Amino acid sequence: MTSVVDAERSGADPAAGPLSPAELDLIHAYWRAANYLSVGQIYLLDNPLLTEPLRPEHVKPRLLGHWGTTPGLNLIYAHLNRVIRAKDLNAIYIIGPGHGGPGIVANAYLEGTYSEVYPSIGRDVAGMRRLFRQFSFPGGIPSHVAPETPGSIHEGGELGYALTHAYGAAFDNPDLVVCAVVGDGEAETGPLAASWHSNKFLDPGRDGAVLPVLHLNGYKIANPTILARIPEQELTALLRGYGYHPYFVVGDDPAAVHQRMAGVLDAAVGEIHEIQDRARRHGRTERPTWPMIVLRTPKGWTGPATVDGLPVEGTWRSHQVPVAQLHDNPGHLAQLEAWLRSYRPEELFDAGGAPRAELAALAPRGPRRMSANPHANGGELLRDLTLPDFRDYAVDVTAPGTTLAEPTRILGAFLRDVVAANPSTFRVMGPDETASNRLGALFEVTDRVWNAGTEPTDEHLAVDGRVMEVLSEHLCQGWLEGYLLTGRHGFFSCYEAFIHIVDSMVNQHAKWLKTTRHIPWRRPIASLNYLLTSHVWRQDHNGFSHQDPGFIDHVVNKKAEVVRVYLPPDANTLLSVGNHCLRSRHYINVIVAGKQPALNYLSMPAAIAHCTRGLGIWDWASNDHDAPGDGLPDVVMACAGDIPTLETLAAVDLLRQHFPDLKVRVVNVVDLMSLQDEAEHPHGISHARFDALFTTDRPIIFAYHGYPWLIHRLTYRRHNHHNLHVRGYIEEGTTTTPFDMVMLNNLDRFHLVADVIDRVPSLGARAAHVRQQMIDARLAARTYTRDHGEDAPEIRNWTWPY
Amino acid sequence: MTSVVDAERSGADPAAGPLSPAELDLIHAYWRAANYLSVGQIYLLDNPLLTEPLRPEHVKPRLLGHWGTTPGLNLIYAHLNRVIRAKDLNAIYIIGPGHGGPGIVANAYLEGTYSEVYPSIGRDVAGMRRLFRQFSFPGGIPSHVAPETPGSIHEGGELGYALTHAYGAAFDNPDLVVCAVVGDGEAETGPLAASWHSNKFLDPGRDGAVLPVLHLNGYKIANPTILARIPEQELTALLRGYGYHPYFVVGDDPAAVHQRMAGVLDAAVGEIHEIQDRARRHGRTERPTWPMIVLRTPKGWTGPATVDGLPVEGTWRSHQVPVAQLHDNPGHLAQLEAWLRSYRPEELFDAGGAPRAELAALAPRGPRRMSANPHANGGELLRDLTLPDFRDYAVDVTAPGTTLAEPTRILGAFLRDVVAANPSTFRVMGPDETASNRLGALFEVTDRVWNAGTEPTDEHLAVDGRVMEVLSEHLCQGWLEGYLLTGRHGFFSCYEAFIHIVDSMVNQHAKWLKTTRHIPWRRPIASLNYLLTSHVWRQDHNGFSHQDPGFIDHVVNKKAEVVRVYLPPDANTLLSVGNHCLRSRHYINVIVAGKQPALNYLSMPAAIAHCTRGLGIWDWASNDHDAPGDGLPDVVMACAGDIPTLETLAAVDLLRQHFPDLKVRVVNVVDLMSLQDEAEHPHGISHARFDALFTTDRPIIFAYHGYPWLIHRLTYRRHNHHNLHVRGYIEEGTTTTPFDMVMLNNLDRFHLVADVIDRVPSLGARAAHVRQQMIDARLAARTYTRDHGEDAPEIRNWTWPY
């Protein structure tokens, strides 16, 4: 797998090509222009073309931005443009070191896209002044490759996800080349380190290509980087071990690096096309050794070599603003001016401020510009899924609470047909849990993507599968984000506890969604849909480490306009919610549902009505219809989540047995956000509706799937909040039976009955006696479980008896 | 770096040694015993020695556990015991596939430790019955290598952290060998993939050794694994690229594998000792190529080859319970009995149930047993830090709110001297942010640990540094956990937003701390101390992606007994809190503090008093001392966090100017948990005290550092909760000035004044006028910022004027 260009490694002769002297001059000029525009953004308020001597008032009072990585990003950009034009490539650019924002803005500006999208930033002196001024400036644009940056699907603010995003973008986009710059800082993160293996999940026939560029500029904020400081033979072994063919581009002489980079890019793109050709014309889809590039150039290249006698270029000191204190230090100001003039702006821009024609001509045209490629504004390409009618998968429910189904298995059949109906725009992700989460019906129509070795005993592996399983929540999340951001659809099923592994990725995606809602040229993308199952209440094989319902709390901290949380209590409600989420746009939808056999409560029409309302009274479970006096119940038994719903109904059964005159209302909550005030969340209900459901003065016993305080948080402004008593997970658990788990957390039916007794004073003389019965029943249940290793049959087999 | 044993790779002749036939027989018997005890735990309720034919009632009704990984874990354990005895090694065992819990329990039982720690589980028939029954059984022990398991510091429930924990344990433990089993499932996770590079942070002179064993059993739950299915040359390249010398042990013939494993372990341990000798006797501490082992054996080895005609041994089907439905299927029951009898228990245990003497003799003695090694119960080894008097680092404060300090820089001087005074038991971790977070004083006495290439321009790198910086929050967290769990102390400083990267690791550590509090033989360890800085309000260089204060919300979901959250408002309070946290035990302490120049409010005596109380009235900022009538203020201005405190005081200043008669009380909260009810959290205050501070009927305007609803959640049971109005971060942000940030989130001084006006009806006719002034002032502030790119001087330079 050595290539002809490997031989050119050292001592490359710039005259040897592949660039002619004229091409070399032009690409170098383009790079200079991008660098000039980058430095201008970091520093200048005015005098953008340096038509007059630089004075302190031309410089921003607060110098904010990151120079160090920028010249490297600009170099790659310029060279990608060359091959895009030469080979009519369809390419996008994902920048791991997203703090190199000024470079990407500079390139979008040079390509004209920036002025098309933001007309006030024209390609003239006034526009350039505004371009510079707005950067990292109040009321302007952020310093990173943010949603505001045309051509980006990746902010790069939190490091680690460039390569998974790139692979996600490449899946099912056979013509796309995704160039992903991996900074050597980012390369130290766990998610990035795992991402290299994404090549085992890429189908060279069906999917596009990812071209990773590992950019070794040697330093992070203040430290050297690991990959820049291991022997090159170790680095080469590592990258070959990851399954890549690394091309090295090393140097600090621009001309030599330009020639080498051009040659390497030609070779790498050629290799990509060869691989794709082999797969597409000859059907050879076994995993190839994909090319990648290692670019080793100085940090802050072309910036100040030293400042105040200390080395800056090529060191960590160039990470942010290499020379500062410009208002107080004339020497520094002179150094900045010399730095800016070293790019010879007068050769790059005409007197009006426009890039000179021969430079502008180097940019690709229209949507071939990476800054204008529609794949980087995925909503433009998004098409609705073809969805089967979810009602066709319904479980038959003639009497509530009497038959069993495994909800996720029911959903699995629906998902199977979604996959079949959308063979190139929908994927299902999961960390090795698709079958465990009982979505196995998927494998009736598709397989797991797998492009590594196979054994005869393997099942459902194929290079062109639609289910993506890897034991890394980070990869699942990153792939899915990249897939959605480029205009496709997906579904992520995960053990509930371990979705916390991607908390920070969810934050970043939520921020992206929130920001893009307010950028007119960004189009909405498909929602990110989570199915959290194998949840806290049913971790029979594992125990405490697998019990954490806190992801809901995490997502509800994000903007209400982008988050939705659903707790369908049974199979039909799960189908209805699942269907709704797949149709929705630009949300993060969290669905929590069980995979174990569980009672069916609602027929499909009832499920649809209930899910549409988000929450509601279950009349069939309530007996307050003919309540005397004010017509209100004595107590409201509320529930959200499958196990809490089961325990609530079993408690209601006990209450009816012991207190036949007690008027009980059962309220089930599917859409958690409906509990909030309508002013706080779009799904929130009015105070009037809340009061109608929960009363203003009757006790509410609320059995909730997760940490109980969230229910208080969502309802503390409600009139009846002072009567609200919530049971939920209080961080008690181990490997034990389902009923022992609810007992450990005081969420069991007996405890709920005791809670009612404690809060309804009118129950009379029998109350104390029944309360003691409940305590005895708990003890008996625990004893049975301890003795037999399973829950008592009357608990396991309870059904709704009315 | 090839070794003599490399040549033995294939076709090893079991007779060739290094084990004599008798040794081979014995080690094989020991392995069989561990396997037998493992299967027994998964399946048996009774008849533990199979002294009678196996009947359905001998089998557990619910079969829970994981067999697949267990025989491999047992094999490694047995062989480690051999080298521990042969070379008097001081070793502990970290099991990535922690669901292989039965294996580790089996070994602790064989070694006698289990019965020492849990006397009811004796080494007799009754004890073995209880050993079997308790596993994954209600009231028994969890299925994983949990805190209850002697010898473990690592549950392995959430995969990814085995290798970082191992390195953390090895740091500063020169004689310790930490064997870390990495499952090939776990190897797919990001954190694990990054962990291999920990060898660049190990000092062979000062630190112990980590011996990774990559266990390729080929499958996860339902899928093959990447590393088991890439060509061996790629795998070798990858591991060499990570900087290791891999030894391969491959096979499915026990005798051959035993011989190979014994030879490889001898070679690997020999290599470790050579490396250490070179470093310690000859001072050669440059990074060596450490040995590691790749063990490729069948999943579920020695279990049922097939069940119902489907292959099980060597496939994913052996992951959990290879043969089930034993109560209904006599064929399955017979298969289980045959499987159990295949280990020939009668040769392994005497009639009383004790391991035969020649087997028991194979275990190391006393604390050399991995199950009894004190490093795996770190609290036993924990010694108090030698702490300098934190008061010596105090900032002089004669008048509150008039002088500036950078709080983290002040703390840095204290930490510097902590490092100096504790040269082998205290480390500071940070993802490349120690200097950025202004803890640079550390580098006056120590360096960053670095054992990779260096350049002349590098600063403060040394192989024996005490500061650990890598661009991976996962590694920082994992190293620190391993370091604390083995009885040492540490401090982790991190950008606030990115600590979410380790949310799930924090969950697992909190669960470990919670559980170990209730295990008598576990000793408390040092607290895990976070300093979150570069926080949401001061992300000048970055912006929205770097703004997230939600980690506090995440940790407060954990058990109150293990979490503490501090928001020191200035330098002296930070010192006091920092000192307190370093002295504390068995907590997760979260400190949020600023690094930018900020006003000093409290002298050191006042700071100590304030931090001791956790929250309190700032009399110097309040003017309700002589309040007429009931002596209560008209409004309580509460604050938590440095920026909210600043804005609150500036608002109080405005209130005094505009409403000199308004009685304002300022309450500052340092210890967030003090807001909770004393029944909910040990630091919580009584209702009486809360009422005394916050009144029962006056409006409270609470300016809070994070998401505002947390304050409601902590206080919803308080009498005056209905008058509580909280301002905080509402997920609005970008790259902008400090004051623009608070304005975007309605936390600014002007908005706080308007909030007071809206809630204090008695302000009279001037109120509406002043309110309009506040709105105008906001607009003017925003305009100034937009025009000048920085905040107006009167805002930037505000100090407390009274």
Side-chain angles (χ1 to χ4, degrees), chain A residues 202-481:
Chain A
L202 192 84
D203 177 353
R206 171 192 58 179
D207 300 326
V210 172
L211 178 63
V213 179
L214 175 62
H215 187 203
L216 301 179
N217 69 25
Y219 295 93
K220 299 171 292 216
I221 300 179
N223 277 286
T225 58
I226 295 172
L227 296 191
R229 296 296 182 86
I230 60 176
E232 197 165 291
Q233 72 191 54
E234 272 188 26
L235 180 61
T236 303
L238 184 67
L239 298 171
R240 289 191 175 275
Y242 282 133
Y244 295 87
H245 169 208
Y247 289 95
F248 283 79
V249 179
V250 180
D252 58 5
D253 169 46
V257 171
H258 283 307
Q259 289 289 14
R260 172 74 187 160
M261 187 72 183
V264 157
L265 261 183
D266 284 344
V269 171
E271 222 169 290
I272 287 170
H273 286 156
E274 254 174 60
I275 289 167
Q276 293 179 332
D277 205 52
R278 210 155 59 223
R280 296 168 194 184
R281 293 176 47 162
H282 307 290
R284 293 191 41 205
T285 55
E286 73 277 19
R287 179 168 60 93
T289 302
W290 293 95
M292 66 161 292
I293 296 171
V294 179
L295 175 65
R296 193 190 290 268
T297 55
K299 185 155 186 158
W301 197 13
T302 73
T306 64
V307 174
D308 299 335
L310 291 171
V312 173
E313 185 189 23
T315 82
W316 79 93
R317 292 192 191 88
S318 64
H319 183 71
Q320 292 184 343
V321 177
V323 51
Q325 290 100 35
L326 303 172
H327 292 84
D328 320 321
N329 188 325
H332 284 193
L333 187 68
Q335 198 167 8
L336 171 62
E337 181 165 7
W339 175 16
L340 281 161
R341 291 198 190 279
S342 74
Y343 299 115
R344 303 193 301 280
E346 64 284 1
E347 297 176 10
L348 309 172
F349 305 96
D350 64 24
R356 290 190 181 272
E358 65 272 25
L359 290 190
L362 289 185
R365 296 283 163 266
R368 283 297 194 239
R369 294 172 297 180
M370 293 190 289
S371 56
N373 192 305
H375 292 287
N377 185 10
E380 278 191 17
L381 302 174
L382 184 66
R383 297 292 170 269
D384 288 349
L385 283 173
T386 300
L387 288 179
D389 190 333
F390 68 99
R391 295 171 295 188
D392 295 345
Y393 304 83
V395 173
D396 204 26
V397 180
T398 47
T402 52
T403 59
L404 295 170
E406 294 160 305
T408 57
R409 199 181 294 283
I410 303 298
L411 183 72
F414 174 65
L415 289 177
R416 170 196 64 206
D417 296 345
V418 177
V419 164
N422 302 276
S424 64
T425 55
F426 180 71
R427 292 196 181 211
V428 178
M429 314 278 167
D432 191 29
E433 295 159 5
T434 304
S436 166
N437 289 337
R438 309 206 180 164
L439 302 174
L442 286 161
F443 301 123
E444 297 168 18
V445 299
T446 189
D447 297 296
R448 302 173 175 103
V449 187
W450 186 254
N451 203 348
T454 55
E455 299 284 344
T457 46
D458 292 336
E459 288 187 353
H460 299 307
L461 302 181
V463 69
D464 62 352
R466 309 296 308 160
V467 176
M468 308 203 64
E469 296 206 288
V470 61
L471 212 161
S472 166
E473 288 77 3
H474 290 116
L475 292 194
C476 292
Q477 174 83 15
W479 289 341
L480 181 54
E481 287 178 0

Side-chain angles (χ1 to χ4, degrees), chain B residues 37 121 187 381 452 484 652 667 673 734 780:
Chain B
L37 293 170
I121 313 283
L381 301 175
L484 299 177
V652 169
V667 175
M673 295 298 97
T734 182

Side-chain angles (χ1 to χ4, degrees), chain B residues 103-126:
Chain B
I104 309 310
V105 170
N107 276 289
Y109 180 76
L110 280 173
E111 292 181 335
T113 315
Y114 210 87
S115 305
E116 293 166 18
V117 166
Y118 302 110
S120 72
I121 313 283
R123 294 209 286 180
D124 50 31
V125 177

Side-chain angles (χ1 to χ4, degrees), chain A residues 78 137 167 281 337 404 409 545 608 682 745:
Chain A
F137 203 81
Y167 275 95
R281 293 176 47 162
E337 181 165 7
L404 295 170
R409 199 181 294 283
S545 64
I608 294 170
N745 292 279

Side-chain angles (χ1 to χ4, degrees), chain B residues 233-289:
Chain B
Q233 71 190 52
E234 272 188 26
L235 180 61
T236 304
L238 184 67
L239 298 171
R240 288 192 175 272
Y242 282 134
Y244 295 87
H245 169 208
Y247 289 94
F248 283 80
V249 179
V250 180
D252 58 6
D253 169 47
V257 171
H258 283 308
Q259 289 290 13
R260 171 74 188 161
M261 187 71 182
V264 157
L265 261 183
D266 284 345
V269 170
E271 222 168 289
I272 287 170
H273 286 156
E274 255 175 58
I275 289 167
Q276 292 179 333
D277 204 53
R278 210 154 59 222
R280 296 167 193 184
R281 294 175 47 161
H282 307 290
R284 292 192 41 205
T285 55
E286 73 277 17
R287 178 168 60 93
T289 301

